[in-house]
Amino acid sequence: MIQFEQVSKVYSGGQKALLNVNFHLQKGEMAFLTGHSGAGKSTLLKLITVIERATAGKVSINGHDIAKVGVKHVPYLRRNIGMIFQNHHLLMDKSVFDNVALPLVIEGFSHGEIRKRVAAALDMVGLYGKERHIPIMLSGGEQQRVGIARAIVNKPPILLADEPTGNLDPKLSMDILRLFETFNDAGTTVLIATHDLGLIARMKYRTLTLRQGTMLGGEPSGAMTAGG
Ligand code: ADP
Ligand code: ADP
């Protein structure tokens, strides 16, 4: 589903963010992406969402080489990807409903369809009935759930999260990860960037580790098991 082959990223200022990164995330897999601040986690996610382009190597999403995806088709590619941020990027003066509905409004869904889908998404994240609240009335954990509802409302096959638990206490963090797990159980491919090693250790998922732009744990989990 997501494949990196010898991928490097050097920013225009000369900062080397990724170096010869190889990994393959299978359809339906859930994995963590970890490493210290500056290791290249955000850059790797930005290459998947085509916010940045690779300097060298090949990034494929669903078998498509994204270097061959023209600027005009990038929005179509992004519809396959739900993105969750640490600071959730919510519109703080808009209702929960309006925030979650945004991707559907952009895609031109009918009003009735939007209401149905927003209700379903809020139900999934445990915020049913909070449509009319505005984000500042909600707790940090609830705000993060609004961000997650918005990311999954158009049912993307891929879910990416950049430090989704960065501002939450351990209990709320675990709740959020369990939520990702339910999406994964439903078939969504999930990649979660986090430097919270304690959290990762509590869940049995493959972990991809970046160190100064180099991938340490790039092998498929099967190969690692076979190696001992
Ligand atoms: P992480 O998400 O693991 O903290 P990043 O991908 O944000 O790492 O950063 C990797 C490296 O690339 C860092 O050295 C960072 O300063 C640099 N970097 C990130 N974004 C940019 C950018 N837009 N321009 C220049 N350098 C960048
Ligand atoms: P976060 O930790 O939430 O990723 P950062 O402060 O690392 O936030 O980065 C904020 C923005 O600045 C990102 O878009 C990132 O790509 C960019 N950035 C990070 N490092 C650099 C850098 N050295 N030069 C230019 N832009 C950078």
Side-chain angles (χ1 to χ4, degrees):
M1 188 113 223
I2 301 173
Q3 185 159 24
F4 275 51
E5 294 167 76
Q6 292 293 106
V7 173
S8 296
K9 173 65 183 178
V10 182
Y11 283 103
S12 49
Q15 294 91 341
K16 295 188 181 83
L18 294 174
L19 185 68
N20 296 330
V21 168
N22 292 294
F23 75 92
H24 187 190
L25 201 63
Q26 305 281 349
K27 186 175 184 333
E29 200 174 348
M30 171 154 146
F32 289 110
L33 174 65
T34 189
H36 295 299
S37 182
K41 304 182 295 297
S42 295
T43 298
L44 189 149
L45 296 182
K46 284 175 186 171
L47 293 181
I48 298 171
T49 50
V50 205
I51 290 166
E52 297 285 352
R53 298 267 189 179
T55 313
K58 184 167 151 186
V59 177
S60 311
I61 308 293
N62 225 347
H64 298 285
D65 177 354
I66 63 174
K68 299 198 174 111
V69 176
V71 176
K72 275 198 293 196
H73 285 96
V74 167
Y76 297 99
L77 184 86
R78 288 199 185 128
R79 281 181 197 175
N80 292 307
I81 303 171
M83 184 75 206
I84 292 148
F85 307 92
Q86 173 170 357
N87 298 316
H88 41 71
H89 297 190
L90 297 179
L91 303 169
M92 293 309 255
D93 59 340
K94 297 281 184 196
S95 68
V96 166
F97 180 92
D98 287 344
N99 270 281
V100 176
L102 196 59
L104 303 176
V105 172
I106 291 168
E107 281 192 51
F109 280 93
S110 73
H111 191 63
E113 187 70 15
I114 289 173
R115 282 179 55 166
K116 223 167 62 187
R117 289 191 181 217
V118 170
L122 288 175
D123 195 19
M124 257 187 266
V125 302
L127 288 178
Y128 192 82
K130 303 229 169 168
E131 281 92 337
R132 292 290 139 217
H133 288 61
I134 55 170
I136 47 173
M137 296 160 69
L138 303 175
S139 70
E142 287 175 326
Q143 290 180 15
Q144 187 56 287
R145 285 165 185 273
V146 178
I148 294 170
R150 184 185 53 193
I152 56 113
V153 74
N154 62 352
K155 302 177 187 165
I158 299 171
L159 207 51
L160 303 178
D162 197 353
E163 301 285 354
T165 62
N167 294 326
L168 304 177
D169 68 37
K171 161 78 171 71
L172 286 175
S173 297
M174 206 59 203
D175 290 348
I176 293 292
L177 290 187
R178 293 286 178 221
L179 195 52
F180 287 129
E181 210 165 36
T182 64
F183 300 130
N184 179 243
D185 287 343
T188 307
T189 306
V190 182
L191 182 61
I192 304 166
T194 177
H195 60 251
D196 190 343
L197 296 173
L199 204 61
I200 291 174
R202 292 168 65 185
M203 299 185 90
K204 301 213 178 316
Y205 289 100
R206 180 174 164 204
T207 301
L208 305 168
T209 306
L210 282 170
R211 191 164 67 201
Q212 293 176 353
T214 300
M215 181 80 74
L216 303 181
E219 316 82 33
S221 42
M224 288 173 80
T225 311

